[in-house]
């Protein structure tokens, strides 16, 4: 149980375009999901907390207009990187917190974004 | 603000050696503590966690960690490592005041020589 999927696993896009990444909790409901960014050989940096039915909470320094987050249902959160640039190339990881269970997070496999 | 420090960036050991990875956090209030592992090409998995109670917690695959509140530490240990333990290890902390938000340390890469 407690499986989180991400789609796509890899995406290559051209500079200036937008790309959407999906995060799904497959066998549980998640009121809260998190989006992280991981640079090569570095740790996970929390970008934002995604709350079902309300606006996401962004960490300091993360541009909310660039990284659009939508959490429209209890099993799906999406991250849209708008007007992508090469410096946005990274590994994006989501995690989901089961509804009613605090402090637990289950991680997705990540999405490798390359902006050319 | 919370922060997590992992002082060992890369540890190289031979099989059967004992392992201890350091983790210190900075936060004055009540915390939950975690160790996650990321095997090559795989996603993050929870090794063990501490919420309350016995400060010595046991996790999967023979790992354990000890919470020492006075030292703000949560070091990871394993008495005898295997080649399959080669991975990246992340210490993480959640402050009670920040709901389920988890902050990660910089990670320690563990390489095991067969």
């Amino acid at each position: 149980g407690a499986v989180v999927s991400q789609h796509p696993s890899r995406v290559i896009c051209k500079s200036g375009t937008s790309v959407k990444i999906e995060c799904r909790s497959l066998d549980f409901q998640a009121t809260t999901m998190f989006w992280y960014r991981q640079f090569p050989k570095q740790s996970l940096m929390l970008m934002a907390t995604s709350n079902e039915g309300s606006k996401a909470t962004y960490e300091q320094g993360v541009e909310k207009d660039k990284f659009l987050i939508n959490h429209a249902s209890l099993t799906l959160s999406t991250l849209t990187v708008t007007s992508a640039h090469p410096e946005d190339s990274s590994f994006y990881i989501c995690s989901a917190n089961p509804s009613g269970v605090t402090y637990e997070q289950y991680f997705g496999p990540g999405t490798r974004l390359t902006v050319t | 603000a919370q922060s997590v420090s992992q002082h060992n960036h890369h540890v190289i050991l031979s099989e059967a050696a004992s392992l201890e990875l350091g983790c210190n956090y900075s936060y004055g209030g009540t915390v939950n503590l975690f160790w996650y592992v990321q095997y090559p090409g795989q996603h993050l998995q929870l090794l063990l966690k501490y919420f309350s109670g016995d400060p010595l917690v046991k996790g999967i695959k023979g790992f354990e960690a000890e919470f020492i509140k006075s030292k703000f530490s949560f070091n990871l240990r394993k008495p005898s490592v295997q080649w399959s333990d080669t991975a990246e290890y992340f210490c993480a902390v959640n402050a009670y005041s920040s709901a389920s938000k988890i902050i990660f340390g910089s990670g320690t890469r563990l390489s095991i020589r067969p």
Side-chain angles (χ1 to χ4, degrees), chain B residues 28-73:
Chain B
T30 305
V31 294
N32 299 309
L33 297 157
F34 307 83
W35 275 97
Y36 286 88
V37 62
Q38 190 173 31
Y39 297 104
Q42 297 189 28
H43 62 279
L44 275 171
Q45 300 173 44
L46 180 66
L47 263 184
L48 47 80
K49 61 189 178 189
Y50 172 80
F51 285 0
S52 64
D54 189 344
L56 183 63
V57 292
K58 295 191 183 298
I60 61 172
K61 304 186 181 188
F63 286 90
E64 65 179 32
E66 184 174 12
F67 171 49
I68 302 179
K69 190 174 182 180
S70 60
K71 294 184 178 181
F72 297 89
S73 70

Side-chain angles (χ1 to χ4, degrees), chain B residues 16-29:
Chain B
S18 64
L19 168 72
E20 181 159 1
L21 301 182
C23 173
N24 289 91
Y25 66 92
S26 66
Y27 183 71

Side-chain angles (χ1 to χ4, degrees), chain A residues 6 13 22 26 32 42 53 67 72 86 88 94 109:
Chain A
Q6 281 184 242
C13 70
E22 292 185 348
L26 297 185
T32 305
Q42 294 188 32
F67 298 100
D88 299 324
C94 75

Side-chain angles (χ1 to χ4, degrees), chain A residues 19-80:
Chain A
V19 61
K20 180 186 286 188
I21 302 170
E22 292 185 348
C23 176
R24 291 181 187 273
S25 55
L26 297 185
D27 48 4
F28 64 97
Q29 294 184 329
T31 309
T32 305
M33 292 183 173
F34 301 88
W35 286 96
Y36 296 86
R37 186 170 176 177
Q38 186 178 29
F39 292 98
K41 299 182 190 273
Q42 294 188 32
S43 186
L44 283 76
M45 182 193 78
L46 179 64
M47 297 174 66
T49 303
S50 169
N51 300 297
E52 187 267 337
S54 64
K55 290 183 178 180
T57 305
Y58 290 82
E59 295 298 303
Q60 193 172 8
V62 177
E63 298 175 61
K64 58 183 68 175
D65 294 331
K66 181 168 190 60
F67 298 100
L68 300 179
I69 291 171
N70 183 276
H71 193 154
S73 78
L74 287 172
T75 59
L76 173 65
S77 175
T78 60
L79 169 70
T80 301

Side-chain angles (χ1 to χ4, degrees), chain A residues 93-104:
Chain A
I93 301 174
C94 75
S95 69
N97 167 231
S99 297
V101 180
T102 49
Y103 316 125
E104 296 273 4

